[in-house]
Amino acid sequence: MRRLTANSDTFETQFTRIVNDRRESDADVASDVRGIIAQVRQKGDDALIDFSMRYDKHALTADVSSWRIGRDQCKIAYDMLMPDVREALDMAAQRIRTYHEGQLPQDRDYRDETNVRLGARWNAVEAAGLYVPGGRAAYPSSLLMNAIPAKVAGVDRLVVTTPTPHGQMNDLVLAAAHVCGVDEMWRIGGAQAIAALAYGTRRIQPVDVITGPGNAWVAEAKRQLYGVVGIDMVAGPSEILVIADEKNDPDWIAADLLSQSEHDPSSQSILITDDANYAAAVEDAVDVLLAQLSTKMVARESWENNGVVIVVEDLMAEAPALADRLAAEHVLLAIDEPEAMFAKIRHAGSVFLGRHTPEAIGDYVAGPNHVLPTGRRARFSSGLSVLDFMKRTSFISLDEKALGEIGPAAVALAEIEGLPAHARSVKVRL
Amino acid sequence: MRRLTANSDTFETQFTRIVNDRRESDADVASDVRGIIAQVRQKGDDALIDFSMRYDKHALTADVSSWRIGRDQCKIAYDMLMPDVREALDMAAQRIRTYHEGQLPQDRDYRDETNVRLGARWNAVEAAGLYVPGGRAAYPSSLLMNAIPAKVAGVDRLVVTTPTPHGQMNDLVLAAAHVCGVDEMWRIGGAQAIAALAYGTRRIQPVDVITGPGNAWVAEAKRQLYGVVGIDMVAGPSEILVIADEKNDPDWIAADLLSQSEHDPSSQSILITDDANYAAAVEDAVDVLLAQLSTKMVARESWENNGVVIVVEDLMAEAPALADRLAAEHVLLAIDEPEAMFAKIRHAGSVFLGRHTPEAIGDYVAGPNHVLPTGRRARFSSGLSVLDFMKRTSFISLDEKALGEIGPAAVALAEIEGLPAHARSVKVRL
């Protein structure tokens, strides 16, 4: 954990280093992934059989249940949930659905003053594929956050693919798939799953958009197949920036910081406060809480390597500019006037306003998406939304008179650009 | 040019081949581009000096005018335009601006029934970089279509970079830059320009989003730097699908087909009609027009290699499904009831309704963007818009009571996901 003081001589150098630190694995898996994709394109299902045995120790056989998880199995997993978990999952799904329904875009269709009819129509993509990791990172909440926007967008066919190492399925993921109405669920993981979704195989029909988190191989496969299909933003390690004054209980803020640290050793938690004593109290609270967490191994490594505590003189005057430079995935404003500070922040994935809005509430049940831009990408990208599963077709309609009004300008421009057929296609109609 | 008849036995095979034909260069420039990017990151402006001399025969010297084109130069280029061209450029800019202003998204801010405050705020990115190719493909209309959405979005700093081979500038591009209010204009091209925009050098501040067309090196550099910056969709060769009945003058339709063919030898023009005699008449008109065009070399190569004429029995019944499989960049509906057919088409970049709406009108002056998804990417992506230069920050605000209502569900989900600090950050506040 690093302690920085904003008015020290070395602050700018230290802070710039934190801003530029990518914390992302440099593992060069590009050529491995190219090979896997080529195999899947060439050999289809046979390549999936080979890779699933090699990487997941899972045998894809003549028995269809080794390939697919049925909707009935998902229903059973849902029915067997503890009641409080089932209710929580239902509440989360309902709230996420309602929030995302508000994202549905409006079509446009109007005539302008020259009687040119213009507009745009939105349509959902036909099929979306969601990757769900196996093992530690197999979160049912993540399936909800990817699947529900796709369903709200109106996708016809929602396909999940997930590895089942040694044949083992994750009942929570199955239950979440039931809640979301997933149409197909395949027991395939890794870059081979992404390649199968992008190009299709004999068994698996291709999809148009692929989203969802995954390891370095999955992320690289999505990157390589970007353009063959649409993908969501490449995600890096997650991060939280907590801006807190001394009026917060240090235990609350310690829990907020560690809720990010416990995700992954490369996660980052940053506190900005205006009181050095308060900063020390939070650090102590972090140490106490760390000792109690079942996730202490991961959380400690993250906090020790990537944690940052910054003491400024004036939160309202200094913190927003620092927040914009960090462009963090999550920004928690635990201060008296969170609204006034939010008005000064331009770059953030999601903002949590006030002392009673812990970031974890947004991970599960608030409604907005928890798939958010990481690694300073909030400077130019947004959280996952229904728009990631839709596309817009613009349209134009002219009658003879309207073409007479704006056509000559098109002819003039086509001619200076040296495109005579363009010019002619307008001129013959004038 | 291939002729297909929808009711023939071989149609499905032939049509599927056309759908799957990518027409994209397989030139493997990935490792060249990786090298160029690494050099620019490492050596900054010195690398730009080397590459500009090597690839563009342009010397970047101590004289700043060898690096940058001043706004005064752009103004002069604009003032020296022929009056009809200047008026056409102004009209185009005005119409494009008006259309894109209608794309500005609405912020959201509301309280739901549990008194949870939810919403999302849109902000422009701080800086956008536009690549403008040199040589044949240096189109002022393309600069308008990229720069105006960025300006409408509210980007603070709009940077153009363009090669000036042998020091030669393109006055039309300069004039268009003036019309759009471009803030900086750099005389740098190729993958090195994209790397400089993404990472910055001593002279050039980095940007957040890079758009604009380019050759294989530029496209590959954008792909490799996706994630460091935002980029627009990777573009392939352009295409038009014309759906026309026999009531159209064959000359009109021939001009529409060739207006796409003249762009590039890899462009594709497809006609679907319901009358074999009419198809033959259009083919004849294409041959006549081809002989007259100054772009005949390119247009003929494109038409001969990639042109397709499909005869179906019933346009309204058969054409929409074929159009959706092609998911073409441009779709022209030169029929009596274009509206009824448009209602049946789901995948298209832009649709041109009716006999008096040639595609070229959309290239220049109609208003919607002419940067559109190619190579079947209209299945999952949209034309360029103001949204490409903006990003959304979601926000959440709870008071104690609201947290009491939805907090326990978050705790239940955090606990089953094995994330105790998440659970604790909510529990301590309950």
Side-chain angles (χ1 to χ4, degrees):
Chain A
M1 192 270 298
R2 282 161 285 182
R3 285 182 200 90
L4 277 62
T5 307
N7 64 5
S8 84
D9 292 345
T10 57
F11 178 75
E12 181 53 32
T13 308
Q14 291 177 294
F15 187 75
T16 301
R17 194 173 302 137
I18 288 162
V19 167
N20 292 333
D21 179 15
R22 285 279 69 79
R23 296 174 291 120
E24 288 175 27
S25 136
D26 278 337
D28 187 7
V29 298
S31 79
D32 284 5
V33 168
R34 253 191 299 278
I36 292 169
I37 293 171
Q39 288 286 304
V40 173
R41 275 193 91 171
Q42 203 183 316
K43 301 203 274 172
D45 292 332
D46 289 340
L48 299 179
I49 293 170
D50 290 348
F51 289 126
S52 294
M53 183 51 77
R54 193 185 313 167
Y55 296 125
D56 300 329
K57 314 294 176 215
H58 173 61
L60 296 168
T61 66
D63 180 358
V64 69
S65 72
S66 68
W67 288 82
R68 287 183 65 165
I69 299 168
R71 296 174 70 157
D72 51 336
Q73 280 173 279
C74 294
K75 170 83 164 65
I76 291 168
Y78 171 79
D79 289 337
M80 296 193 28
L81 289 175
M82 300 276 287
D84 66 319
V85 174
R86 193 166 60 228
E87 280 159 31
L89 213 53
D90 284 339
M91 178 202 270
Q94 183 51 48
R95 292 187 58 88
I96 296 165
R97 193 173 296 121
T98 302
Y99 182 84
H100 286 79
E101 281 168 354
Q103 290 177 334
L104 284 166
Q106 297 280 318
D107 288 348
R108 301 172 68 195
D109 189 346
Y110 65 98
R111 283 182 190 279
D112 71 11
E113 68 290 349
T114 44
N115 205 33
V116 176
R117 185 170 155 215
L118 297 169
R121 272 184 205 170
W122 288 89
N123 278 297
V125 302
E126 288 187 24
L130 311 183
Y131 189 84
V132 177
R136 192 175 71 189
Y139 296 138
S141 61
S142 176
L143 201 156
L144 263 53
M145 290 290 184
N146 281 273
I148 293 172
K151 277 283 173 183
V152 170
V155 164
D156 302 329
R157 181 174 153 254
L158 180 58
V159 184
V160 163
T161 182
T162 187
T164 53
H166 301 280
Q168 285 210 292
M169 290 177 269
N170 181 324
D171 284 337
L172 292 168
V173 167
L174 269 57
H178 171 75
V179 171
C180 301
V182 168
D183 297 297
E184 295 170 25
M185 199 157 179
W186 296 87
R187 304 176 65 175
I188 297 159
Q192 60 272 23
I194 307 300
L197 289 174
Y199 288 114
T201 67
R202 199 178 56 78
R203 285 178 186 263
I204 305 175
Q205 290 295 305
V207 303
D208 303 302
V209 168
I210 302 175
T211 71
N215 62 18
W217 279 260
V218 169
E220 176 62 21
K222 283 165 69 180
R223 178 190 285 275
Q224 288 187 18
L225 292 167
Y226 170 60
V228 177
V229 289
I231 64 168
D232 55 349
M233 176 51 56
V234 175
S238 62
E239 65 239 350
I240 190 168
L241 168 63
V242 180
I243 298 175
D245 60 30
E246 82 297 342
K247 296 182 204 165
N248 294 280
D249 184 330
D251 285 347
W252 295 16
I253 301 301
D256 295 327
L257 293 167
L258 291 181
S259 72
Q260 207 58 221
S261 307
E262 73 180 346
H263 269 301
D264 193 277
S266 61
S267 299
Q268 182 162 55
S269 302
I270 301 177
L271 170 66
I272 301 181
T273 185
D274 55 357
D275 181 325
N277 292 328
Y278 182 71
V282 172
E283 289 173 26
D284 290 345
V286 164
D287 290 339
V288 171
L289 181 54
L290 264 180
Q292 301 167 19
L293 295 176
S294 58
T295 50
K296 71 181 79 168
M297 295 280 285
V298 170
R300 178 171 284 128
E301 188 178 343
S302 163
W303 178 247
E304 287 182 355
N305 293 341
N306 304 317
V308 183
V309 174
I310 300 172
V311 178
V312 299
E313 303 217 329
D314 183 335
L315 274 183
M316 194 61 80
E318 296 171 70
L322 299 177
D324 271 350
R325 288 176 65 191
L326 292 165
E329 183 187 13
H330 307 103
V331 178
L332 170 55
L333 304 179
I335 55 175
D336 277 341
E337 295 182 316
E339 193 53 56
M341 187 171 292
F342 182 30
K344 298 169 86 173
I345 293 176
R346 179 163 170 181
H347 306 307
S350 192
V351 175
F352 301 80
L353 297 163
R355 306 184 201 283
H356 284 88
T357 314
E359 184 274 329
I361 212 79
D363 283 341
Y364 295 111
V365 294
N369 212 287
H370 79 194
V371 180
L372 295 165
T374 58
R376 294 187 66 227
R377 297 189 185 91
R379 288 174 297 124
F380 56 83
S381 68
S382 310
L384 195 71
S385 79
V386 298
L387 298 184
D388 291 293
F389 301 97
M390 302 184 79
K391 73 272 184 351
R392 194 182 50 234
T393 300
S394 57
F395 62 89
I396 303 169
S397 178
L398 276 71
D399 58 18
E400 207 172 342
K401 182 160 171 297
L403 187 67
E405 292 200 36
I406 69 172
V411 172
L413 293 171
E415 284 176 349
I416 57 158
E417 289 192 353
L419 295 171
H422 283 68
R424 187 176 166 98
S425 73
V426 177
K427 270 193 288 190
V428 289
R429 288 171 163 99
L430 287 176
Chain B
M1 191 271 299
R2 281 161 287 183
R3 284 181 201 91
L4 277 61
T5 308
N7 63 4
S8 84
D9 292 344
T10 56
F11 177 74
E12 181 53 33
T13 308
Q14 290 177 295
F15 187 75
T16 301
R17 194 174 302 137
I18 288 163
V19 166
N20 291 335
D21 178 15
R22 286 279 68 82
R23 295 174 290 122
E24 289 176 24
S25 135
D26 278 336
D28 188 9
V29 298
S31 79
D32 283 6
V33 168
R34 253 191 299 278
I36 291 170
I37 293 172
Q39 289 286 304
V40 173
R41 276 193 91 171
Q42 203 185 313
K43 300 203 273 172
D45 292 332
D46 288 340
L48 298 180
I49 292 169
D50 290 347
F51 290 126
S52 293
M53 184 50 78
R54 191 184 316 167
Y55 296 126
D56 300 331
K57 314 293 175 217
H58 172 62
L60 296 168
T61 68
D63 180 358
V64 69
S65 73
S66 68
W67 287 82
R68 285 183 65 163
I69 299 168
R71 295 173 70 157
D72 51 336
Q73 280 173 278
C74 295
K75 170 82 164 66
I76 292 167
Y78 172 80
D79 289 338
M80 296 192 30
L81 289 175
M82 301 278 286
D84 66 322
V85 173
R86 193 166 60 227
E87 280 159 31
L89 212 53
D90 285 339
M91 178 202 269
Q94 183 51 48
R95 293 188 57 89
I96 295 165
R97 193 174 296 121
T98 302
Y99 182 84
H100 286 80
E101 282 168 354
Q103 290 179 333
L104 283 166
Q106 297 279 318
D107 288 348
R108 300 171 69 194
D109 190 346
Y110 65 99
R111 285 181 188 277
D112 70 12
E113 68 290 349
T114 44
N115 206 32
V116 176
R117 186 170 154 216
L118 298 168
R121 270 183 208 170
W122 288 89
N123 278 296
V125 303
E126 288 186 25
L130 310 184
Y131 189 85
V132 177
R136 191 175 71 190
Y139 297 137
S141 61
S142 176
L143 201 155
L144 263 53
M145 291 290 183
N146 281 273
I148 293 172
K151 277 283 173 184
V152 170
V155 164
D156 302 330
R157 179 173 155 257
L158 181 58
V159 185
V160 163
T161 181
T162 187
T164 53
H166 301 278
Q168 285 210 292
M169 288 178 271
N170 180 325
D171 284 337
L172 291 168
V173 167
L174 269 58
H178 171 76
V179 170
C180 302
V182 167
D183 298 297
E184 295 171 25
M185 199 157 177
W186 295 88
R187 304 176 65 174
I188 297 160
Q192 60 273 22
I194 307 300
L197 288 174
Y199 288 114
T201 68
R202 198 178 57 76
R203 286 178 186 263
I204 305 176
Q205 289 296 304
V207 302
D208 302 301
V209 168
I210 302 175
T211 70
N215 62 18
W217 279 259
V218 169
E220 177 62 21
K222 283 166 67 180
R223 179 191 285 274
Q224 288 186 18
L225 292 167
Y226 170 59
V228 177
V229 289
I231 64 167
D232 56 349
M233 176 51 55
V234 175
S238 63
E239 64 238 350
I240 190 169
L241 168 63
V242 180
I243 298 174
D245 60 28
E246 83 295 342
K247 296 182 204 166
N248 293 281
D249 185 332
D251 285 348
W252 294 18
I253 301 301
D256 295 327
L257 293 168
L258 292 181
S259 73
Q260 208 56 223
S261 308
E262 73 180 345
H263 268 301
D264 193 277
S266 61
S267 299
Q268 182 163 53
S269 303
I270 300 177
L271 169 66
I272 301 182
T273 185
D274 56 356
D275 181 326
N277 291 329
Y278 181 71
V282 172
E283 289 172 28
D284 289 345
V286 164
D287 289 339
V288 171
L289 181 54
L290 265 179
Q292 302 168 18
L293 295 176
S294 59
T295 50
K296 71 181 79 167
M297 295 279 286
V298 169
R300 178 170 283 129
E301 189 179 342
S302 163
W303 178 247
E304 286 182 356
N305 293 341
N306 303 316
V308 183
V309 174
I310 300 173
V311 178
V312 298
E313 302 219 326
D314 182 335
L315 273 184
M316 194 61 79
E318 295 172 69
L322 298 177
D324 271 350
R325 289 176 65 191
L326 291 165
E329 183 186 13
H330 307 103
V331 177
L332 169 54
L333 304 179
I335 55 176
D336 277 341
E337 296 182 314
E339 193 53 56
M341 189 173 288
F342 182 30
K344 299 168 86 173
I345 293 176
R346 180 164 171 181
H347 307 306
S350 192
V351 175
F352 301 81
L353 297 162
R355 306 184 200 283
H356 284 88
T357 314
E359 184 275 328
I361 211 80
D363 282 341
Y364 295 111
V365 294
N369 213 287
H370 79 195
V371 180
L372 294 165
T374 58
R376 294 187 66 228
R377 296 189 185 90
R379 288 173 299 125
F380 56 82
S381 68
S382 311
L384 195 72
S385 79
V386 297
L387 298 184
D388 291 293
F389 301 97
M390 303 185 79
K391 74 273 183 351
R392 192 182 52 234
T393 299
S394 57
F395 62 89
I396 303 169
S397 178
L398 277 71
D399 58 18
E400 208 172 341
K401 182 160 170 295
L403 187 67
E405 292 199 38
I406 69 172
V411 173
L413 293 171
E415 285 177 347
I416 57 158
E417 289 191 352
L419 295 171
H422 283 66
R424 188 179 166 95
S425 72
V426 178
K427 270 193 288 189
V428 290
R429 288 171 163 100
L430 286 175

